[in-house]
Amino acid sequence: MARLKDIAEEAGVSIPTVSLILSGKTQEFNPDTCRRVQRVADKLNYRPNIAARSLQQQKSFLIGVLISDVNASTMSRQLRGIFNALSDTDYSPI
């Protein structure tokens, strides 16, 4: 798993710069630097550490799911739909 440090080294910038750019605070940086950092992050398949982010932001990124129908086939389809809907987000169902 790629770390901010790995991206910073390959992009030739500091770790705080990578952190700010990947969190969307790009207005302070040259657009070329932002593109370079994003390109390296994509190349290294960077995914943010959700546990670290939740501690920093004091937000769990969890969504509670309550299902009243215990029918296995219905529950399976519902859970699959929830997982699919959340797959491109930072959230996880519990």
Side-chain angles (χ1 to χ4, degrees):
M1 177 174 268
R3 301 171 301 163
L4 294 180
K5 180 179 179 183
D6 302 326
I7 297 168
E9 287 175 357
E10 189 161 332
V13 297
S14 69
I15 294 171
T17 297
V18 171
S19 178
L20 288 168
I21 290 172
L22 293 181
S23 64
K25 299 177 180 130
T26 59
Q27 64 276 8
E28 302 174 28
F29 301 99
N30 182 308
D32 291 335
T33 302
C34 295
R35 283 191 291 273
R36 186 171 66 244
V37 167
Q38 191 60 58
R39 193 171 30 249
V40 171
D42 292 343
K43 174 185 167 192
L44 298 178
N45 199 28
Y46 172 76
R47 296 289 175 258
N49 182 316
I50 300 303
R53 182 182 282 183
S54 67
L55 286 172
Q56 178 192 34
Q57 295 182 1
Q58 296 181 347
K59 186 176 178 181
S60 71
F61 295 97
L62 298 173
I63 294 178
V65 178
L66 298 174
I67 299 176
S68 61
D69 184 3
V70 292
N71 180 320
S73 65
T74 303
M75 187 170 46
S76 172
R77 283 193 306 267
Q78 290 170 341
L79 288 174
R80 191 174 316 115
I82 291 167
F83 275 94
N84 288 342
L86 296 174
S87 67
D88 291 330
T89 71
D90 291 336
Y91 289 90
S92 299
I94 58 168

